[in-house]
Amino acid sequence: MTRILLVEDEIKLRQNTAQFLIAEGFAVSEAGAGLAALQCFRAEKPDLILLDILLPELNGVQLCQIIRQESAVPILMVTALGGEEDVLAGLEKGADDYIVKPFRMRELVARIRAVLRRQSLVQAPQSVLHLGELTLDIDGVRLLKQGREVSLTATEFRLLSMMAKQPGRAFTRLQLLEGAIGEAFENYERTVDTHIFNLRKKIEDRSGKPRYIQTVFGVGYRFGEQR
């Protein structure tokens, strides 16, 4: 049974969320403050952490940073509406995804399952990814669209590979810059937009309504999940 560590200081919300997750088949551990959450994480080794940002003792971003030094456990951060800076900080400290309050419980469960699904793909990496009309050969450094090769620069290929390995995950511009170039400089993060613009021209049928590389407003980009 998948165990979730639910970290939320609002008691009523924590109780309601825990009850719903248990009804959906998850095992749930609860914590209402940062230090208690850290102790619980170390003792119980959960499969996923649902982590509120605004916490007493240690806030969610600080806690995320500590956990990332010890584990690759998936972390889904919870933020209040309008907390874009908190979202960016959390993602850049290693969170896998985020959800905004107030949220519907069904939406929360869908996001949890999506994060767990992406984690399983990372743990069992494939050298060739089939993504809609695209075939991405990681080892061969080749991209095909409907069987025809698409010419990409080295930076474009690294950007596309980074996102395509985890469809649905939101990446900040700094994360993409570091992944594609190896270093992240805040003054250069907007250069990612140029690379994304060029990528879209090459792989999207309608770059104004992208199917593959989607904008996450206030955050960055993600590779759309393909059905």
Side-chain angles (χ1 to χ4, degrees):
M1 183 179 291
T2 301
R3 177 164 294 278
I4 295 175
L5 173 55
L6 171 58
V7 188
E8 171 60 64
D9 64 330
E10 295 180 36
I11 297 174
K12 189 64 175 177
L13 177 58
R14 187 173 75 241
Q15 291 174 339
N16 290 342
T17 304
Q19 289 174 2
F20 192 88
L21 292 176
I22 290 169
E24 289 291 313
F26 297 102
V28 179
S29 301
E30 299 178 41
L35 291 178
L38 184 58
Q39 291 171 352
C40 189
F41 156 72
R42 288 170 172 166
E44 301 196 10
K45 307 297 183 186
D47 300 298
L48 180 140
I49 301 174
L50 185 60
L51 180 59
D52 189 34
I53 289 181
L54 298 177
L55 294 170
E57 301 172 350
L58 285 173
N59 68 39
V61 174
Q62 293 169 325
L63 187 55
C64 180
Q65 184 174 17
I66 293 170
I67 290 171
R68 270 294 164 264
Q69 294 170 353
E70 302 178 18
S71 171
V73 61
I75 298 174
L76 177 60
M77 301 203 81
V78 180
T79 181
L81 189 64
E84 288 182 359
E85 293 301 318
D86 290 332
V87 169
L88 287 170
L91 292 173
E92 286 167 5
K93 294 301 182 185
D96 294 274
D97 205 348
Y98 69 95
I99 191 167
V100 177
K101 293 180 182 177
F103 51 78
R104 293 174 298 170
M105 292 296 177
R106 293 284 179 197
E107 178 189 5
L108 174 63
V109 169
R111 298 291 281 277
I112 287 171
R113 288 183 171 144
V115 170
L116 290 170
R117 186 167 59 249
R118 293 201 300 268
Q119 181 73 2
S120 68
L121 291 174
V122 172
Q123 291 173 343
Q126 297 175 287
S127 61
V128 178
L129 303 176
H130 299 282
L131 308 152
E133 296 176 343
L134 304 180
T135 301
L136 187 64
D137 183 349
I138 304 295
D139 294 339
V141 195
R142 296 177 69 214
L143 174 68
L144 304 178
K145 181 177 181 182
Q146 294 182 321
R148 296 182 178 182
E149 188 158 0
V150 178
S151 178
L152 300 179
T153 67
T155 298
E156 289 168 356
F157 189 87
R158 286 193 293 269
L159 277 173
L160 181 61
S161 299
M162 184 176 176
M163 290 185 287
K165 288 176 182 176
Q166 299 188 67
R169 175 178 175 175
F171 290 91
T172 69
R173 289 174 174 84
L174 280 176
Q175 285 176 318
L176 292 171
L177 190 60
E178 186 172 21
I181 299 176
E183 296 179 283
F185 301 100
E186 290 191 16
N187 291 340
Y188 293 98
E189 63 180 298
R190 288 292 172 179
T191 62
V192 170
D193 295 342
T194 301
H195 292 301
I196 294 296
F197 176 80
N198 292 333
L199 259 176
R200 282 174 169 165
K201 286 199 299 184
K202 294 177 180 181
I203 69 173
E204 301 284 1
D205 293 328
R206 291 183 293 171
S207 58
K209 192 176 181 181
R211 170 184 178 184
Y212 298 107
I213 303 177
Q214 300 170 351
T215 300
V216 184
F217 292 102
V219 177
Y221 299 96
R222 68 173 166 231
F223 194 93
E225 297 189 72
Q226 304 301 305
R227 298 180 181 178

